Amino acid sequence: MHRYGRGALRSWIFVPAAKPKLIVLFVHGLGDQLETTPYHHRPWLEHLAREGYEVVYPAYEATPLQNGALKHLVQGLATAAGRVPASVPVAAIGYSRGGRLVVDYASISSAIGLVPRRIFSVFPAGTMDTPLNLQPLNGRTKVLILAGDADQTVANIGANQLITQLAIAGFPYADVHFEVVRSHGFFVADHLSVLRDDAGSRQAFWARADRFFAPLAATG
């Protein structure tokens, strides 16, 4: 793992053992000070690196709810773009606030070159940042949106808002998918289940992302 930049423009890069098959941008959610670092998500980030993906984790905040999230996200990823291999497909994961923010970022990402062709939006929060025009994504990006059946923090509000925004932008129906993560046994699909490192969470999130990214990684 390598760290670059300072403050809200920091990014961490997890490098796989061999030439990467995919670049994965991981945009975190709103939380405590540690959420602006890889601390809570490190097991998943390390799993992605073991899968052969180079993972970029941008801070975009120095403190939770700092102003300028999208601007900092773009600036941080612009710095990271010069440190990851070129000509490798790009995918993205966004969680909670990041689940919405990552889609807005994708709509303007051509400016820096890290353009996600698949976006895995996990339990997106309702609108917290100024929505952007998503038309640039039309026909170029596939999106998978997840909601948890026990998520009392964002429920389906953010997912519904995001799906509506994509529809207004004319996003192709076949390119956006919505799935409910179901609780079962000892696994409860609440908002914080994404942060856990147990069999239920690995199956619900890690394995889903692996399957979703596999066709894109195969082209890398």
Side-chain angles (χ1 to χ4, degrees), residues 14-23 49-54 85 88:
F14 291 74
V15 181
K19 179 183 175 181
K21 298 179 286 186
L22 192 67
I23 305 299
R50 288 193 299 271
E51 289 295 301
Y53 305 156
E54 189 151 328
V88 177

Side-chain angles (χ1 to χ4, degrees), residues 48 153 196 215:
L48 291 166
T153 303
R196 301 185 188 117

Side-chain angles (χ1 to χ4, degrees), residues 40-64:
H40 291 306
H41 302 282
R42 187 159 185 159
W44 191 1
L45 302 174
E46 291 177 341
H47 163 79
L48 291 166
R50 288 193 299 271
E51 289 295 301
Y53 305 156
E54 189 151 328
V55 188
V56 182
Y57 189 101
Y60 79 76
E61 297 172 311
T63 57

Side-chain angles (χ1 to χ4, degrees), residues 150-165:
D151 187 350
Q152 300 299 315
T153 303
V154 300
N156 290 345
I157 296 172
N160 290 337
Q161 287 180 350
L162 181 53
I163 291 168
T164 299
Q165 188 185 0

Side-chain angles (χ1 to χ4, degrees), residues 20-44:
K21 298 179 286 186
L22 192 67
I23 305 299
V24 177
L25 314 179
F26 195 112
V27 183
H28 65 78
L30 175 65
D32 57 18
Q33 193 76 36
L34 291 175
E35 183 69 2
T36 65
T37 77
Y39 179 84
H40 291 306
H41 302 282
R42 187 159 185 159
W44 191 1

